Structure formats: structure tokens, C-alpha cells
Amino acid sequence: MYKNFMNWFSTTPVGKWLAIRISANLDPLLYKLSGGRITSIGPQVIPQLVLTTVGRKSGQKRTVQLAFTADGNDFLVVASNFGREKHPGWSYNLDANPDAEVQVGPEVHAVKALRLSEDEKAALWSRIEATVPQMKVYPGQTDRNIKVYRLAAS
């Protein structure tokens, strides 16, 4: 029940505001310190990872926590940006430099990102929605084509 409530709440205006303003800044730190056990809302309600990219303009490391769907040994991440009109910064970083790092639980992996084609995205979308219920809502909140990336061990 808690899991369903939190997944629903995160798609509401108040939930999105809290996620954007508080969780997005606090969760990567909590996740790293707890080895993936704790987020700002307590235990994880969807699979999450911490993605570290290199800023396309700054060249500095940028860290963000994201929901993911496992696909074999790969991780699928969606550049939904909470259904907002602009793509998230991390997606532009991956487009410019696909070499990145993910932490899943206590384990850290070097990965290479590949943006999925529309056909690949369509074939996997129902699995993504099953793992990350917010993806049933966010695409309807924006006119942009939401990007999906495969993060594969490099």
C-alpha cells in the first residue's frame, strides 16, 4: 500500500515538486551512504541507481539518482524529467559522452550509454511501465519525445 501511494504521489504536482526540489538533491547522497538501501522517502519503492556522467559543458562529474528497469545485465533509464517540457541535463551529458558510471546498491559499474531507437523503446515500454509506474503518467504530461537509454557494462 505504501509503495502504491508513493508511486502515485510522485506524479502529483506536490509530489513532483518535492521530488524535484528535495529528493533529487538529497537522494544520491543518501543512496551512496546507505549502499542503496535508503532514500528521502525511506526504503526504495522502485528500483533505483545513481548515475554519474561528465557534464558536456563543464567537464565536471554530475550525479543523479534514477529509476531503472533491468534488461539482462543492462539498465534501462528514462529521461522523463518528471514529465516536464525539457529533457534532463543528464541525458544531454550521455548524448555528448556515453561513458558513465552507475551505482546499484553497493556495487559500482562503468557503463556505456546507448539511446534506444523508437522501435526498441516501443518494444520495451510495457516492461518499463511495469517496473516504474510513473512512466504511465509522465509521457502524457509533455509533448516531447522522451528518450530511453540502455546502460551496458563497458
Side-chain angles (χ1 to χ4, degrees):
M1 190 160 129
Y2 174 75
K3 178 180 177 178
N4 291 338
F5 173 77
M6 291 310 296
N7 284 327
W8 166 80
F9 182 69
S10 68
T11 65
T12 67
V14 172
K16 282 172 56 172
W17 185 90
L18 289 169
I20 292 164
R21 300 287 186 267
I22 297 171
S23 296
N25 295 313
L26 184 58
D27 280 358
L29 176 63
L30 290 173
Y31 189 98
K32 283 185 172 197
L33 291 174
S34 71
R37 293 185 310 275
I38 302 294
T39 69
S40 59
I41 62 167
Q44 291 185 39
V45 295
I46 54 177
Q48 296 181 39
L49 57 76
V50 172
L51 172 68
T52 302
T53 62
V54 175
R56 71 189 186 288
K57 293 180 183 177
S58 70
Q60 301 295 313
K61 288 188 175 186
R62 302 290 184 213
T63 302
V64 62
Q65 187 165 335
L66 302 170
F68 75 91
T69 299
D71 189 37
N73 292 327
D74 299 344
F75 309 100
L76 303 174
V77 292
V78 180
S80 66
N81 203 16
F82 302 96
R84 294 188 288 178
E85 286 305 311
K86 293 184 178 182
H87 295 293
W90 62 263
S91 70
Y92 295 110
N93 293 344
L94 288 180
D95 289 340
N97 179 3
D99 295 317
E101 183 179 275
V102 294
Q103 179 180 345
V104 181
E107 297 180 17
V108 177
H109 310 274
V111 294
K112 185 169 284 284
L114 173 67
R115 184 173 166 190
L116 298 186
S117 71
E118 289 306 307
D119 289 340
E120 291 169 315
K121 181 171 109 173
L124 291 165
W125 194 254
S126 63
R127 285 188 47 219
I128 292 169
E129 285 181 334
T131 307
V132 186
Q134 294 83 342
M135 296 312 149
K136 296 175 185 172
V137 176
Y138 292 156
Q141 296 177 337
T142 183
D143 292 329
R144 70 183 167 85
N145 183 11
I146 293 177
K147 302 185 270 187
V148 178
Y149 295 85
R150 175 180 300 279
L151 305 177
S154 58

